[in-house]
Amino acid sequence: MVINFGFHWYGLIIGVAILVAFEVSKRYAVFKKIDVKLLERAFWWVVPMGIVGARLYHVIDYWDRYYRFDLLKIFYLWEGGLGIWGGIIGGMIGLMIYLYRFPIRSGMTKWLDICVIGLPLGQAIGRLGNYVNGEIIGRNGEPLFAYEAGLNLLLFLFLWNFIKNKNMDGMVAGVYFIGYGLIRTLLEYMRPDEIVWKMGGYPTAVWVSLGAILFGLYLVKVSQKQS
């Protein structure tokens, strides 16, 4: 029996994106005086839950158009199909489970800052996977994957250079959720209507983005009370 092992650029790029984001988080953990070993343990809760959430979001989105006709394809992650909002929600659930199972003195907001700060850089890298798969193209042929990659990179630079030094737990995460919520809302309306998952006549990603923006504003307000 011959077994063929295929090489998939999408999987490699997503793996690199996760590792780069994690390395940034480790550097910030040192700055925030959090034991890196604790972050490494959290990695095994946050990342798997993030991947499950990202895939689940995508499968629900494409269920009627694709996956209900071939259930096995749900597990073909190397073919693409990860919804970032689902990944963020899943990762947050994983973090909450970790902090609940292993009580740590540092609060949730500080951990959110640490886990989130490298995320936009990872997202920028991950969008290259969409380029490889020919995904995320605008209704008029615009390279939306490139637009989002560039905007995510700018968001990361802003967080790293202007926000991370503020001694207010929750500020980094708050600004991220506001920033990415705005980015995603802006670009979502440039996608072809036939591939946009809608609820109540509006893109689901916009509803989630609105929730993220409100959550970000809440985190910023909470962090400001510490100053």
Side-chain angles (χ1 to χ4, degrees):
M1 182 177 65
V2 177
I3 300 177
N4 294 317
F5 293 93
F7 179 78
H8 301 277
W9 279 106
Y10 182 85
L12 175 63
I13 292 169
I14 295 300
V16 170
I18 291 172
L19 291 177
V20 169
F22 182 56
E23 285 300 316
V24 172
S25 292
K26 287 202 294 186
R27 290 174 179 268
Y28 192 51
V30 173
F31 175 77
K32 298 289 281 186
K33 299 180 180 178
I34 293 292
D35 188 346
V36 172
K37 291 182 179 179
L38 295 177
L39 181 61
E40 290 173 347
R41 292 174 190 165
F43 177 91
W44 298 107
W45 292 86
V46 174
V47 173
M49 287 294 293
I51 293 174
V52 170
R55 188 59 173 178
L56 182 61
Y57 185 99
H58 171 77
V59 168
I60 294 172
D61 182 2
Y62 281 81
W63 177 256
D64 287 332
R65 288 172 285 170
Y66 187 70
Y67 290 104
R68 71 186 182 96
F69 302 109
D70 191 345
L71 297 180
L72 195 59
K73 288 285 188 179
I74 292 173
F75 303 99
Y76 290 9
L77 271 70
W78 55 86
E79 292 185 350
L82 297 173
I84 184 59
W85 278 132
I88 292 170
I89 294 170
M92 289 178 62
I93 292 173
L95 178 60
M96 288 188 289
I97 294 173
Y98 171 72
L99 294 178
Y100 176 77
R101 289 201 59 182
F102 305 97
I104 298 171
R105 184 174 301 176
S106 301
M108 180 70 177
T109 52
K110 178 177 287 189
W111 275 90
L112 271 178
D113 285 348
I114 293 170
C115 291
V116 156
I117 192 166
L119 191 53
L121 179 57
Q123 289 174 249
I125 296 171
R127 284 305 178 192
L128 296 177
N130 297 129
Y131 168 71
V132 169
N133 281 358
E135 303 169 328
I136 319 299
I137 304 298
R139 65 182 65 182
N140 296 316
E142 308 99 324
L144 296 189
F145 63 87
Y147 295 171
E148 184 168 331
L151 291 171
N152 281 331
L153 182 58
L154 290 176
L155 178 58
F156 167 71
L157 293 174
F158 181 70
L159 291 175
W160 189 258
N161 290 297
F162 299 102
I163 304 299
K164 77 177 178 69
N165 294 321
K166 297 182 181 297
N167 190 28
M168 295 182 288
D169 295 342
M171 180 62 76
V172 167
V175 173
Y176 166 77
F177 282 115
I178 295 170
Y180 185 62
L182 292 172
I183 290 170
R184 189 57 187 269
T185 298
L186 172 66
L187 297 181
E188 194 66 18
Y189 285 103
M190 299 174 68
R191 297 191 181 206
D193 284 337
E194 60 269 20
I195 68 167
V196 175
W197 175 20
K198 293 185 177 181
M199 292 179 62
Y202 295 93
T204 300
V206 171
W207 288 114
V208 180
S209 297
L210 177 59
I213 292 170
L214 293 175
F215 181 53
L217 290 170
Y218 168 76
L219 289 175
V220 169
K221 184 177 181 178
V222 169
S223 68
Q224 289 176 332
K225 291 181 179 179
Q226 303 170 19
S227 60

